[in-house]
Amino acid sequence: MFPRSRREFVPFVQSHWRSLLMLLLGVMIPFVLFTHLTYEIFREGGFAWDQGILNWYAQRRTPELTRFAELLAVLGGVTVLPFVTLTIAWLMGRASGRAHGWFLVSSVAGATLLNVAAKVVFQRPRPDELVAVLTEPGFSFPSGHAMANAAFGFALTLAFWRSRAGWPVAVFGALWALAIGISRNYLGVHYPSDVLAGFTASVTWVAGLYILMARRWPQLRGSPGGEDDTRPPVSGGPGQT
C-alpha cells in the first residue's frame, strides 16, 4: 500500500510543486497568521507594539506627509478604487483577458465584503482619536483600505504574472498595498495589527480564488493580453494541473 502510494505521490509533487507551493504560501500560511492575529487581539488583549508604532508615526508627521497620506486614503478608498478596478477589468476584457477581468473584480469585491463581515463580527474600536489625523466611522479590525488594496495589488500580480509586464506589475502591486497600509497607521485610523490582518486575509482570499478560477477558466493562467503576450509556461506553475 505505502510503496504504491509513494510511487503515485512523488510524481504528483514533482509535477505540481509550484501549485502546492502557492497553496501553502498563498492560502495556508496567511490564514494561520490571520488566525493568530485574531486570537492575540481578542483573547489575549492585543499587542503592546500596536500603540507604540502609532505613537512613532504621530511624532514624525509633517504637513506634506499628511497630505500625501490623505491622498492615498482617497485613491485607495470606496470613491476611487472600485472605478479603477472596473476600468482595468474592462481593458482586460477588450484585450482578450475577460477571465482576468472577472478575477480582478471578484478579488476586490470579495475582499471588501469579507472585510465588512469581519468588522461586524469583531467590532474592534479604532485607535484613540488623540493620535489620529482623521476621524472615520466604523470598526477597526481588519483594515478595509489595507484589505481591498492588497487584494487589488495581489490580483493584478497574478493576472499579469505570465505576461511580459509580470515583474513590474508585481512590484507595483506590492508597493501600492504597502503604501496604503502604512498610510493607515500614519493617519492613526488603524492599528498595525489591523493592517497586517487585512493583508493576510486578502492574500488568503485572492490566492484561493485564483486556484479555483484557474481550474474553471484555464486562460487565466496566461496573459490578459493574449497568447502573443504570454511567456512560455512553466510545468506545475500556479493554477496548472
Side-chain angles (χ1 to χ4, degrees):
M1 186 75 173
F2 177 74
R4 180 181 177 182
S5 299
R6 184 176 60 183
R7 288 196 300 269
E8 296 174 353
F9 179 74
V10 173
F12 175 81
V13 173
Q14 291 175 339
S15 300
H16 303 278
W17 69 271
R18 290 181 183 271
S19 294
L20 294 171
L21 184 63
M22 180 177 180
L23 180 64
L24 176 65
L25 298 179
V27 178
M28 297 306 299
I29 291 179
F31 178 75
V32 170
L33 290 175
F34 176 80
T35 303
H36 174 69
L37 286 168
T38 304
Y39 177 84
E40 290 292 333
I41 290 170
F42 296 100
R43 294 289 185 179
E44 302 297 331
F47 301 95
W49 43 264
D50 260 335
Q51 191 62 50
I53 292 176
L54 291 183
N55 293 338
W56 186 88
Y57 279 117
Q59 294 168 3
R60 288 160 177 79
R61 287 180 185 141
T62 65
E64 294 76 18
L65 285 176
T66 299
R67 284 194 294 269
F68 181 64
E70 291 173 338
L71 175 63
L72 289 177
V74 174
L75 295 178
V78 295
T79 58
V80 176
L81 183 63
F83 174 77
V84 173
T85 300
L86 291 173
T87 300
I88 295 176
W90 179 78
L91 292 173
M92 287 177 172
R94 297 273 294 179
S96 304
R98 184 173 298 177
H100 301 77
W102 279 113
F103 168 65
L104 177 63
V105 171
S106 300
S107 296
V108 177
T112 302
L113 292 175
L114 287 172
N115 179 263
V116 172
K119 286 186 174 181
V120 171
V121 170
F122 297 117
Q123 298 187 10
R124 186 187 195 186
R126 289 186 182 270
D128 193 322
E129 293 182 0
L130 293 177
V131 298
V133 174
L134 304 176
T135 300
E136 293 194 353
F139 298 107
S140 191
F141 181 91
S143 167
H145 272 74
M147 199 163 171
N149 286 275
F152 174 76
F154 190 34
L156 277 182
T157 298
L158 293 178
F160 281 92
W161 185 246
R162 289 284 305 283
S163 75
R164 294 187 178 93
W167 274 109
V169 171
V171 172
F172 165 78
L175 292 179
W176 177 254
L178 184 62
I180 293 294
I182 291 175
S183 72
R184 306 310 285 167
N185 294 153
Y186 174 90
L187 293 172
V189 293
H190 281 291
Y191 293 105
S193 54
D194 297 333
V195 171
L196 289 175
F199 286 166
T200 55
S202 277
V203 170
T204 301
W205 161 249
V206 174
L209 183 66
Y210 179 85
I211 292 172
L212 291 175
M213 290 188 66
R215 289 182 175 274
R216 175 62 179 83
W217 293 282
Q219 60 268 35
L220 187 58
R221 303 168 190 152
S223 167
E227 294 184 2
D228 292 340
D229 188 52
T230 300
R231 292 183 285 113
V234 178
S235 176
Q240 288 186 294
T241 58

